[in-house]
Short mmCIF file of all heavy atoms in Angstrom, two decimals:
data_model
loop_
_atom_site.label_atom_id
_atom_site.label_comp_id
_atom_site.label_asym_id
_atom_site.label_seq_id
_atom_site.Cartn_x
_atom_site.Cartn_y
_atom_site.Cartn_z
N CYS A 174 10.26 -5.76 35.36
CA CYS A 174 10.99 -4.59 34.86
C CYS A 174 12.40 -4.97 34.40
O CYS A 174 12.92 -4.38 33.45
CB CYS A 174 11.06 -3.51 35.94
SG CYS A 174 9.48 -2.68 36.26
N LEU A 175 13.01 -5.94 35.07
CA LEU A 175 14.33 -6.42 34.63
C LEU A 175 14.24 -7.07 33.26
O LEU A 175 15.11 -6.88 32.41
CB LEU A 175 14.90 -7.42 35.64
CG LEU A 175 15.42 -6.88 36.97
CD1 LEU A 175 15.93 -8.04 37.82
CD2 LEU A 175 16.52 -5.86 36.76
N LEU A 176 13.18 -7.83 33.03
CA LEU A 176 13.01 -8.51 31.74
C LEU A 176 12.73 -7.52 30.62
O LEU A 176 12.92 -7.85 29.44
CB LEU A 176 11.88 -9.53 31.84
CG LEU A 176 12.05 -10.62 32.90
CD1 LEU A 176 10.85 -11.57 32.91
CD2 LEU A 176 13.33 -11.41 32.67
N LEU A 177 12.26 -6.33 30.97
CA LEU A 177 12.01 -5.31 29.96
C LEU A 177 13.28 -4.59 29.52
O LEU A 177 13.28 -3.93 28.47
CB LEU A 177 11.00 -4.28 30.49
CG LEU A 177 9.54 -4.71 30.54
CD1 LEU A 177 8.72 -3.70 31.33
CD2 LEU A 177 8.98 -4.87 29.14
N MET A 178 14.33 -4.69 30.29
CA MET A 178 15.55 -3.94 29.97
C MET A 178 16.14 -4.30 28.61
O MET A 178 16.47 -3.40 27.82
CB MET A 178 16.58 -4.12 31.09
CG MET A 178 16.18 -3.42 32.37
SD MET A 178 17.38 -3.66 33.70
CE MET A 178 16.58 -2.75 35.03
N PRO A 179 16.31 -5.58 28.26
CA PRO A 179 16.82 -5.89 26.91
C PRO A 179 15.88 -5.43 25.80
O PRO A 179 16.34 -5.10 24.70
CB PRO A 179 16.98 -7.41 26.92
CG PRO A 179 16.14 -7.90 28.05
CD PRO A 179 16.16 -6.81 29.07
N ILE A 180 14.58 -5.37 26.08
CA ILE A 180 13.62 -4.90 25.08
C ILE A 180 13.86 -3.42 24.78
O ILE A 180 13.85 -2.99 23.62
CB ILE A 180 12.18 -5.13 25.55
CG1 ILE A 180 11.96 -6.60 25.97
CG2 ILE A 180 11.18 -4.71 24.49
CD1 ILE A 180 12.34 -7.59 24.90
N PHE A 181 14.07 -2.63 25.82
CA PHE A 181 14.31 -1.21 25.61
C PHE A 181 15.70 -0.95 25.02
O PHE A 181 15.90 0.03 24.31
CB PHE A 181 14.10 -0.43 26.91
CG PHE A 181 12.66 -0.09 27.16
CD1 PHE A 181 11.85 -0.93 27.88
CD2 PHE A 181 12.11 1.08 26.64
CE1 PHE A 181 10.50 -0.64 28.09
CE2 PHE A 181 10.78 1.39 26.84
CZ PHE A 181 9.97 0.53 27.57
N MET A 182 16.65 -1.84 25.30
CA MET A 182 17.95 -1.71 24.64
C MET A 182 17.82 -1.91 23.14
O MET A 182 18.34 -1.13 22.33
CB MET A 182 18.95 -2.73 25.22
CG MET A 182 19.51 -2.37 26.57
SD MET A 182 20.83 -3.50 27.07
CE MET A 182 21.21 -2.87 28.70
N LEU A 183 17.09 -2.96 22.75
CA LEU A 183 16.86 -3.21 21.32
C LEU A 183 16.03 -2.08 20.71
O LEU A 183 16.25 -1.69 19.56
CB LEU A 183 16.16 -4.54 21.13
CG LEU A 183 17.01 -5.79 21.35
CD1 LEU A 183 16.14 -7.05 21.28
CD2 LEU A 183 18.13 -5.87 20.32
N GLY A 184 15.08 -1.56 21.47
CA GLY A 184 14.29 -0.44 20.99
C GLY A 184 15.15 0.78 20.71
O GLY A 184 14.94 1.48 19.70
N ALA A 185 16.12 1.03 21.57
CA ALA A 185 17.03 2.16 21.35
C ALA A 185 17.88 1.93 20.11
O ALA A 185 18.21 2.88 19.38
CB ALA A 185 17.92 2.36 22.58
N VAL A 186 18.21 0.67 19.84
CA VAL A 186 18.94 0.35 18.60
C VAL A 186 18.05 0.63 17.39
O VAL A 186 18.51 1.23 16.40
CB VAL A 186 19.40 -1.13 18.60
CG1 VAL A 186 19.99 -1.51 17.24
CG2 VAL A 186 20.42 -1.36 19.71
N PHE A 187 16.80 0.22 17.46
CA PHE A 187 15.86 0.49 16.36
C PHE A 187 15.75 1.98 16.08
O PHE A 187 15.63 2.41 14.93
CB PHE A 187 14.46 -0.05 16.69
CG PHE A 187 14.36 -1.55 16.72
CD1 PHE A 187 13.27 -2.17 17.30
CD2 PHE A 187 15.34 -2.35 16.16
CE1 PHE A 187 13.16 -3.55 17.33
CE2 PHE A 187 15.25 -3.74 16.18
CZ PHE A 187 14.16 -4.33 16.77
N LEU A 188 15.79 2.78 17.15
CA LEU A 188 15.60 4.22 17.02
C LEU A 188 16.92 4.97 16.83
O LEU A 188 16.98 6.19 16.96
CB LEU A 188 14.86 4.77 18.24
CG LEU A 188 13.34 4.77 18.13
CD1 LEU A 188 12.77 3.36 18.09
CD2 LEU A 188 12.70 5.54 19.27
N LYS A 189 17.99 4.21 16.54
CA LYS A 189 19.29 4.80 16.19
C LYS A 189 19.82 5.71 17.30
O LYS A 189 20.36 6.79 17.03
CB LYS A 189 19.20 5.58 14.87
CG LYS A 189 18.67 4.76 13.70
CD LYS A 189 18.53 5.61 12.46
CE LYS A 189 17.93 4.80 11.31
NZ LYS A 189 17.76 5.61 10.08
N SER A 190 19.66 5.27 18.54
CA SER A 190 20.11 6.10 19.65
C SER A 190 20.81 5.27 20.72
O SER A 190 20.72 5.58 21.91
CB SER A 190 18.91 6.84 20.27
OG SER A 190 17.90 5.92 20.67
N PHE A 191 21.50 4.20 20.30
CA PHE A 191 22.18 3.34 21.27
C PHE A 191 23.59 3.04 20.77
O PHE A 191 23.77 2.31 19.79
CB PHE A 191 21.40 2.04 21.47
CG PHE A 191 21.73 1.35 22.76
CD1 PHE A 191 21.29 1.84 23.98
CD2 PHE A 191 22.49 0.18 22.77
CE1 PHE A 191 21.59 1.20 25.17
CE2 PHE A 191 22.79 -0.47 23.95
CZ PHE A 191 22.34 0.05 25.15
N ARG A 192 24.55 3.64 21.45
CA ARG A 192 25.97 3.47 21.13
C ARG A 192 26.71 3.14 22.42
O ARG A 192 26.08 3.05 23.48
CB ARG A 192 26.50 4.75 20.48
CG ARG A 192 25.95 4.99 19.06
CD ARG A 192 26.21 6.40 18.58
NE ARG A 192 25.38 7.34 19.29
CZ ARG A 192 24.14 7.68 18.91
NH1 ARG A 192 23.60 7.14 17.83
NH2 ARG A 192 23.44 8.54 19.61
N PRO A 193 28.03 2.95 22.39
CA PRO A 193 28.75 2.60 23.63
C PRO A 193 28.50 3.56 24.78
O PRO A 193 28.38 3.13 25.94
CB PRO A 193 30.22 2.63 23.18
CG PRO A 193 30.17 2.25 21.74
CD PRO A 193 28.92 2.85 21.21
N ARG A 194 28.39 4.85 24.49
CA ARG A 194 28.13 5.82 25.56
C ARG A 194 26.75 5.58 26.18
O ARG A 194 26.59 5.64 27.41
CB ARG A 194 28.21 7.23 24.99
CG ARG A 194 27.91 8.32 26.00
CD ARG A 194 28.29 9.69 25.46
NE ARG A 194 27.84 9.88 24.08
CZ ARG A 194 28.23 10.88 23.31
NH1 ARG A 194 29.10 11.77 23.77
NH2 ARG A 194 27.78 11.00 22.08
N GLU A 195 25.76 5.27 25.35
CA GLU A 195 24.43 4.99 25.86
C GLU A 195 24.38 3.67 26.62
O GLU A 195 23.64 3.54 27.60
CB GLU A 195 23.41 4.97 24.71
CG GLU A 195 23.01 6.34 24.20
CD GLU A 195 24.10 7.04 23.41
OE1 GLU A 195 24.95 6.31 22.84
OE2 GLU A 195 24.12 8.28 23.36
N PHE A 196 25.19 2.69 26.19
CA PHE A 196 25.26 1.42 26.90
C PHE A 196 25.81 1.63 28.31
O PHE A 196 25.28 1.06 29.29
CB PHE A 196 26.14 0.43 26.14
CG PHE A 196 26.27 -0.91 26.81
CD1 PHE A 196 25.20 -1.78 26.87
CD2 PHE A 196 27.47 -1.29 27.39
CE1 PHE A 196 25.31 -3.01 27.49
CE2 PHE A 196 27.60 -2.52 28.01
CZ PHE A 196 26.51 -3.39 28.07
N ALA A 197 26.83 2.47 28.44
CA ALA A 197 27.38 2.79 29.76
C ALA A 197 26.34 3.50 30.61
O ALA A 197 26.20 3.23 31.82
CB ALA A 197 28.63 3.64 29.61
N ALA A 198 25.57 4.41 29.99
CA ALA A 198 24.53 5.12 30.72
C ALA A 198 23.46 4.15 31.21
O ALA A 198 22.92 4.30 32.32
CB ALA A 198 23.90 6.20 29.83
N ALA A 199 23.12 3.13 30.39
CA ALA A 199 22.14 2.13 30.79
C ALA A 199 22.63 1.34 32.00
O ALA A 199 21.87 1.10 32.95
CB ALA A 199 21.85 1.19 29.62
#
Side-chain angles (χ1 to χ4, degrees):
C174 288
L175 286 180
L176 301 180
L177 284 169
M178 290 179 182
I180 307 306
F181 276 91
M182 283 188 183
L183 287 174
V186 173
F187 291 165
L188 271 66
K189 305 177 183 179
S190 56
F191 201 73
R192 290 166 289 272
R194 178 168 45 192
E195 283 72 26
F196 180 70

